[in-house]
Every structure is written in C-alpha cells, then in structure tokens.
Amino acid sequence: MRVKAGYADTLGATWDGRGVNFALFSANAEKVELCLFDSQGRRELERVPLPERTDDVWHGYLPDVSPGQQYGYRVYGPYDPARGHRFNHHKLLLDPYAKRVAGRLVWSDAHFGYRAGSPRADLSFDRRDNARGMLKSVVIDEAFTWGNDRAPRIPWGKAIFYEAHVKGLTNLREDIPPAWRGTFRGLAAPKMIKHLKRLGVTSLELLPIHAFIDDRHLVERSLKNYWGYNTIGFFAPEPRYGYENTPAILKSTIARLHDAGIEIILDVVYNHTAEGNQLGPTLSFRGIDNAVYYWLRPDNPRYYEDFTGCGNSLNLTQPHVLQMVMDSLRHWVQNYHVDGFRFDLATTLGRQPDGFNRQAAFFAAVRQDPALSQIKLIAEPWDLGLGGYQVGGFPDGWSEWNDAYRQNQRSFWRGEKGLIGDLASRMTGSADIFDHHGRGPRSSVNHVTVHDGFTLMDLVSYEEKHNEANREENRDGSDHNISSNSGVEGPTDDPEINRARLRLRRNMLASLILAQGVPLLLAGDEVGNSQGGNNNTYCQDNEIGWIDWEKLGDREQDLSDFIGELVKLRRRFPQLATQRWMVGGKPGQRNAIHWLRPDGTEMKQDDWYFPDARFLAYSIGPLDASGVPILIVINGSAEAIALKLPSWRTYAGWRCAFSTATGDEAPFRGMLEPGETFAAPDCSISVLEGIA
C-alpha cells in the first residue's frame, strides 16, 4: 500500500477525490498503525504505520484508498494505569473522528485491555486481538445534494419542542411504510409530518443518534441500550437507524423536515463515553490517549473522576478534547444542517479543576463560533458531581431544562397546597431562576414529562414505578415521581377515575403551553402512551419503550387537537411567549402582569402565603396597542370558584377563549360584563380575553 506524509490539520479520514488522508491525535503514543479491512470488515488486509507526527497528530496519505474502506487503529505506548496510560496495541480502536461506523460490537473478554478475571484486575495486560468482534470506521464521501435547503430558524418565541426517540416514535405507526418504521426515514414520512404539524410542533428533539453501543451487562440480559446515552462515535450517525448509507439517509430526512418547517435538535452526550470506568472495555479513546481524554483522579490516575454516573467523564479542559467536541458540533451543523443541540449532563462540559464555571473554555468557544452561536443551545443543567446542580447557572444565549417547573406542576396538580407563589413564577418564565446576566424567559425550557421518568399517562395512573422488565429488581429509576393514580394503580375501567385522569392530562398540557418560556412535549403524551409504570425505559427496545398509537383518533383520549388548539392560542396572544420579563403595573397595561384575588382585587402579600391556596388568577397585558389582555385562571381545588372580573375602562368585557373543562362543566363562552362573576370550574385552567 502506497503511503505519503499527508497532513495534520484535519483529523479523521478525509477523501479528497484522489486518495484519503488519515490523521489521529495522541500525545502519549509511541507508534500508530492504520489497519485496513475487507469490505465486510471481517479480515484485516494490511497494517500501515502512519509515517508522520506533527504536534501530536499522527498522519499519512494513502492514494490507493477510497470511500467505503473499513479501517481502525492500533496505538502503541505504555500500559501503566497507575500513571493514567492504557495503551494496548492488541486492541483495534475506532477512529474518534469516524464519519460512519460499520458492523456490530460482539462482546467478549478480548475487548478489555486487561486480563478479565485476573487477580490484578486492570493492572494486568491482555494480548488477545479483538478485531473480529469490533466495530469498524468507514471512509465516506461527504458530498450530498442539499438543493435549496434552508434552516427554518424558528424564533424562540414560537418554538414548540417535541422530544422523541427515532425508533420509538414510528415503529408502531401503521400509517408509515413498514420499511421506514423505526428509522430516520420514518421521521419524515408524510403522515408523521402531518401529525407534528397538527400538534403545532416546530422543533423535533431526538434522543441520541451519535453512534453508540449496547452495554455488555444489558446484552447478557437480552436487553439493549435503547435510549442511546452510550456514545462511542461523536461524528457518525447510529447505523441501526439508517442501514446501508446512514449519513445520506439522515441528511435526506433532515432536508424533508426542513421543507415542512420543522427543526431538528440533537440530544448529544459529550460528558462521557461508552468505555466506562477502569474496568471498562478499550474501544477508542482509552486506547488512543486515556490520560488526555478523561478526567483522572489527581491522587491516583488509575481511577476516573465520575461526574456522570457512567464510569468516566470527558475532560474538556484538555485543548484537543475541546477541539474534538467543537469539531463534532460544527460537523453536525455544517454537514447535516441540524438546528440545535440539547446537551446531556451539560454541567460536566463546564467543569474545571475547582468545579463548574459558566465562563469555562467550552462556553467561550461556542459563543465565538460563527456556526454554533447562531443555533439553539439547550443544557440539561446538572450532573452527579459535587456542585453539579446548575439550573439557572449557564451563560447568556443558552436555554435550560427547568426541572423546577416540572416539580411544581406535578405537585400542584397532584393536590398539594400552598404552592401558588412557585406556580406564579413557573407560569411566567421562572424569573427567580433566570432573570440575571441579560437572560430572558426563553432560558427556561418547561416540561412536565421527558424520556427519563413517567409518561403523562403513567404520571396520572401510577404512584410507584414498575421497572421489573429492566431486570434490576425494580431498584433502578427514580422513586420521586410526584404522581397520582386517582385511587387505582394502573389501568382501570372505572369511568370516574378515567375522567379524572383525562382532566389532569389536559391541565398539565395546558399549563405547559400557556406558561412563558419554551414548551417541551414528550412524544406520545398526546395519545395517552403508557409504559406500564416503567419510569426508566433506557433498555426497553420493545413495546414498553415504543409509543403505542392505538388511541390516535380516539375522540376522548387523543389530545392532539387539544394541543394544537393550545398552540394556536399561544400564537394568538404573543404575551404568552414574550422574550421580555413581565413587570407589575396598572391592570391591562402593556407588558404588565396583575395578580387577582377571587373578589377581583389585587393580591396582597398575605395572599401568597395562604396555606390552603389552590387558586391563581392573573392578567397579562398586551405587548402592543393592537393586542388585548388575557386573564388566566387556574383552579386546582375540587370545587368551582367564583372570580369577579376586572372592570377596566378600555375594555367592554371578557370572553372565555379556552378551558380544560368539558361538557356540562365547560364555562360560558359568551361575553361577560366587567364586574360579573366568572365561575372557574373545579380542577381546570381557563383563559379569558379582553374585548375592546
């Protein structure tokens, strides 16, 4: 095989139309071999030592290699865990910059750098070759015809997020072509797009699609890593969602979604890798330069700092690790046209030796990057390390999952009292958390349910988790669900209980869409999808984890049109999605919020601390002269409550524009005079609009 020096400035395998340049970073390696395989990835054809080393980048150019070539690396260096080095050239390693991966990981003890079962554990050394059962990197031609693809660039004030799993979203949809179900193609199927548009969704947030592996302990229990928070390749799409030509299929899917005006947000996992702790496998980063890629304990580099609960943590204080993350993000924006990222356990990305720092190098790098500073950036603002809970602590320009919103809404609608002060803050953007450093209401990504935890149907049907199918004796998953089953655990035929559960679902969805901030819906909640009380379906790649669409079209249980109506209401009254903090002021005044007692007078300080409070009413003034004020009435009590309507000179009356109450309990929709009484139905939310 002919080999030339090549160049070091572009990492990974780069096809230039004539040959392929290979470049791999390793500061502590002594030698790097490029291993070339046959088209099936089964037989190693040749090993080519990379001839040059420039600034710790090993590189070489092969004129006789073309796209489709499968390859891996063997990296030579010291195996000295006590000093943080775990080189083992007997292990084939995945290229961290691989744009495509092929094959599947067949678990065996050969994937471990140490001798499994040895009394010396990871201090021992294993000489078995793991190549036959190892994933392979693949050279690709990145050319793709995008045509006139344009990013939707949905303004934050109009964004409605919808969190979904690629396979789980479509695998049971009978109106999607069978070959497309459970794949990237299924996301852009006409019926799927029609459903998203029906809901008013603007931004499809996908659980991880970076190449990941199934943990050995799951495979041994006949389970899979369904969610995908086990990344091994930050540049390659997961092949199980696209089959033969995954990159092109994903790009085509994104283009079709863009044509429909829908953004793609990727859930990304840059906080750890699939290699686990010191007893984990050697698949890529560990064997390339363990001491650089990972946070190691300063007192004993044999062990890892585990801020993530997954065994290891990527160390973004290392320039080359930070470069890899930034290169990966730009790759997805520039080559796949994605519109934003949700960062899993994002606190880890901002960690420095003394803890989390909102001015860390990662945040500075993103802020100055021309491509990344223009897209949506969303943090899961915590990790498991000391000081890891950082809700409200991220820089300007970022939005964050607001678990304070989730906890408050669940508690209030479960029936807890004395929460109206917190409820008022959560419904108006959580200024107590985010109003600093120039941040606005869009900093708060509001959610009641997400992939991690109960679905909305299970939230109103179960009071305890039921994770037996995970085969961990129901020990996994959170015990703090803040849920209510209305008297019966699980499904029931009792019509009263089912009506109560339906009302709770409607109330929590209405709270979500009517709250200032950015709403995040969990896919399947609109059709009452249940996971049977399992609140941790990370390993359930089956009917438990997939969305059950059986209730789609059910006149009572399918709330798709209900959500669509709420989204239209949110767009009709822009004060619900304002990007400015509302302030106190005269009733009905522009940009002003006014809190009301049931007798129509303004709330006093003592009213906020009423211990049995289950009622909150407030008006939000219009944003400009063409708008009208709205009055939001939240009644969490078991009885109807009479609210005396405000009398404002510029408005002739009020009309009920929306209510979660239905049937005979639905409020009067005609005009009410100022000073009249509005009967707020029990356990409901109503929206009244001012009539000029």
Side-chain angles (χ1 to χ4, degrees):
M1 181 68 66
R2 293 184 297 163
V3 59
K4 300 180 180 180
Y7 50 89
D9 54 349
T10 303
L11 294 171
T14 306
W15 163 250
D16 63 7
R18 295 174 176 82
V20 179
N21 188 80
F22 293 88
L24 179 76
F25 162 79
S26 180
N28 294 293
E30 297 169 354
K31 176 184 175 182
V32 174
E33 287 180 338
L34 171 68
C35 303
L36 304 178
F37 289 81
D38 64 15
S39 60
Q40 301 301 313
R42 295 173 183 169
R43 188 163 60 95
E44 187 173 344
L45 302 175
E46 190 162 357
R47 296 187 187 183
V48 181
L50 293 184
E52 296 293 334
R53 179 178 184 176
T54 305
D55 297 330
D56 294 331
V57 175
W58 302 76
H59 55 94
Y61 183 89
L62 277 65
D64 302 320
V65 169
S66 58
Q69 176 67 60
Q70 297 195 23
Y71 71 98
Y73 288 109
R74 298 182 188 273
V75 181
Y76 294 72
Y79 187 85
D80 188 355
R83 294 173 50 221
H85 299 309
R86 295 178 179 270
F87 295 99
N88 187 334
H89 63 273
H90 301 285
K91 310 305 171 185
L92 185 76
L93 305 174
L94 198 68
D95 183 355
Y97 277 70
K99 306 298 194 304
R100 180 183 164 198
V101 298
R104 67 186 184 92
L105 182 68
V106 180
W107 279 108
S108 72
D109 290 345
H111 291 302
F112 296 80
Y114 61 94
R115 193 75 180 175
S118 168
R120 300 184 66 234
D122 61 305
L123 296 179
S124 63
F125 188 75
D126 187 270
R127 290 177 170 79
R128 283 172 289 187
D129 191 328
N130 71 328
R132 186 168 182 81
M134 181 58 187
L135 296 166
K136 308 301 188 299
S137 308
V138 184
V139 177
I140 70 168
D141 182 351
E142 295 192 61
F144 181 80
T145 303
W146 282 98
N148 60 350
D149 179 66
R150 293 185 179 181
R153 294 201 177 277
I154 306 296
W156 279 103
K158 295 183 179 180
I160 305 292
F161 284 84
Y162 186 81
E163 188 196 36
H165 185 279
V166 172
K167 184 174 183 180
L169 181 64
T170 63
N171 211 46
L172 297 179
R173 289 277 305 219
E174 295 184 355
D175 55 358
I176 291 177
W180 291 17
R181 296 174 196 168
T183 72
F184 290 128
R185 287 194 185 278
L187 301 176
K191 293 291 186 180
M192 195 69 249
I193 289 178
K194 183 178 180 180
H195 180 73
L196 295 175
K197 302 295 283 186
R198 177 187 178 195
L199 293 171
V201 167
T202 67
S203 309
L204 180 59
E205 182 177 310
L206 297 177
L207 266 66
I209 66 165
H210 288 174
F212 62 91
I213 63 172
D214 297 315
D215 315 68
R216 188 179 193 181
H217 69 91
L218 292 178
V219 173
E220 290 173 347
R221 299 204 306 268
S222 299
L223 297 170
K224 295 181 180 179
N225 192 307
Y226 172 57
W227 285 348
Y229 292 93
N230 206 30
T231 304
I232 195 63
F234 295 111
F235 292 78
E238 172 53 42
R240 70 187 75 184
Y241 302 140
Y243 306 114
E244 290 302 318
N245 193 356
T246 309
I249 290 173
L250 177 55
K251 291 175 182 179
S252 177
T253 297
I254 293 173
R256 291 173 183 270
L257 288 166
H258 281 179
D259 289 344
I262 297 172
E263 295 180 318
I264 285 289
I265 310 296
L266 298 186
D267 192 337
V268 288
V269 188
Y270 294 109
N271 56 79
H272 75 281
T273 78
E275 291 186 306
N277 63 15
Q278 75 277 5
L279 298 178
T282 297
L283 306 174
S284 181
F285 314 94
R286 172 173 285 135
I288 292 171
D289 206 331
N290 183 71
V292 171
Y293 276 107
Y294 295 118
W295 281 98
L296 304 180
R297 284 174 43 179
D299 59 325
N300 189 347
R302 174 185 176 187
Y303 300 102
Y304 296 80
E305 294 280 21
D306 185 9
F307 307 125
T308 66
C310 300
N312 64 59
S313 307
L314 276 176
N315 187 356
L316 271 69
T317 67
Q318 292 281 358
H320 280 281
V321 182
L322 176 60
Q323 177 191 350
M324 179 188 72
V325 173
M326 295 298 294
D327 287 347
S328 171
L329 291 171
R330 280 190 295 268
H331 169 68
W332 291 99
V333 172
Q334 295 171 345
N335 295 327
Y336 284 88
H337 293 197
V338 304
D339 305 286
F341 301 98
R342 178 267 190 191
F343 293 83
D344 180 64
L345 300 183
T347 297
T348 299
L349 309 182
R351 281 194 177 274
Q352 295 183 334
D354 57 350
F356 177 80
N357 189 332
R358 66 192 307 271
Q359 297 178 336
F362 170 69
F363 300 127
V366 169
R367 188 183 187 100
Q368 61 78 43
D369 189 278
L372 303 181
S373 60
Q374 303 301 314
I375 63 171
K376 291 182 169 65
L377 302 169
I378 304 142
E380 183 185 38
W382 50 77
D383 66 14
L384 301 184
L386 184 65
Y389 187 77
Q390 290 292 333
V391 176
F394 279 69
D396 182 27
W398 285 71
S399 296
E400 304 173 31
W401 275 22
N402 184 359
D403 69 325
Y405 178 92
R406 173 175 57 185
Q407 180 168 331
N408 175 259
Q409 292 293 336
R410 290 186 176 194
S411 299
F412 179 82
W413 291 112
R414 187 172 67 167
E416 296 180 24
K417 300 176 180 179
L419 295 175
I420 60 170
D422 286 341
L423 180 65
S425 180
R426 303 302 154 246
M427 292 299 294
T428 54
S430 296
D432 57 324
I433 298 175
F434 298 104
D435 186 10
H436 59 84
H437 294 89
R439 306 184 73 184
R442 68 91 158 171
S443 300
S444 177
V445 176
N446 301 325
H447 57 284
V448 177
T449 55
V450 289
H451 69 276
D452 186 2
F454 279 153
T455 65
L456 187 58
M457 178 59 84
D458 288 353
L459 191 66
V460 301
S461 303
Y462 295 91
E463 293 195 359
E464 297 181 358
K465 65 185 182 184
H466 296 271
N467 298 356
E468 291 80 7
N470 296 358
R471 302 179 185 178
E472 298 179 37
E473 299 180 352
N474 207 33
R475 294 191 303 266
D476 62 302
S478 175
D479 294 315
H480 186 60
N481 296 297
I482 321 179
S483 58
S484 174
N485 63 16
S486 296
V488 174
E489 187 76 350
T492 178
D493 293 329
D494 188 313
E496 289 300 319
I497 291 178
N498 284 330
R499 275 194 290 270
R501 290 176 176 177
L502 181 60
R503 180 75 69 88
L504 285 172
R505 287 172 58 207
R506 291 168 64 92
N507 285 337
M508 283 190 271
L509 288 169
S511 299
L512 181 64
I513 304 299
L514 295 174
Q516 294 174 339
V518 183
L520 171 66
L521 295 160
L522 173 63
D525 278 352
E526 68 271 27
V527 292
N529 179 58
S530 172
Q531 296 173 166
N534 191 318
N535 72 355
N536 190 32
T537 59
Y538 78 102
C539 58
Q540 297 299 325
D541 187 4
N542 50 47
E543 287 81 357
I544 296 174
W546 305 335
I547 294 175
D548 180 2
W549 294 99
E550 184 180 4
K551 296 185 180 70
L552 184 66
D554 185 300
R555 294 184 61 182
E556 285 194 358
Q557 296 299 325
D558 182 2
L559 298 181
S560 300
D561 287 336
F562 173 79
I563 293 172
E565 180 185 352
L566 278 164
V567 172
K568 290 176 183 177
L569 191 75
R570 182 179 175 91
R571 290 172 180 163
R572 186 153 69 91
F573 299 109
Q575 58 262 58
L576 291 173
T578 178
Q579 297 308 296
R580 293 175 287 178
W581 297 109
M582 306 299 286
V583 296
K586 296 180 180 180
Q589 181 180 348
R590 294 183 199 173
N591 303 312
I593 193 161
H594 194 62
W595 307 97
L596 299 172
R597 292 160 43 111
D599 62 5
T601 62
E602 186 174 1
M603 288 181 69
K604 307 299 182 185
Q605 185 171 0
D606 290 345
D607 296 321
W608 292 105
Y609 300 102
F610 180 57
D612 294 328
R614 298 280 298 139
F615 179 85
L616 184 69
Y618 59 100
S619 67
I620 309 178
L623 298 186
D624 53 48
S626 63
V628 297
I630 59 172
L631 182 58
I632 296 178
V633 185
I634 303 175
N635 183 9
S637 70
E639 299 178 354
I641 293 179
L643 170 68
K644 185 177 180 181
L645 296 174
S647 299
W648 297 338
R649 293 180 187 175
T650 53
Y651 297 98
W654 296 89
R655 177 172 53 234
C656 184
F658 169 85
S659 179
T660 58
T662 58
D664 295 338
E665 298 177 344
F668 174 62
R669 291 287 183 123
M671 191 177 91
L672 295 170
E673 300 286 339
E676 278 194 76
T677 296
F678 172 74
D682 64 284
C683 193
S684 71
I685 300 179
S686 301
V687 178
L688 286 73
E689 61 179 310
I691 301 175

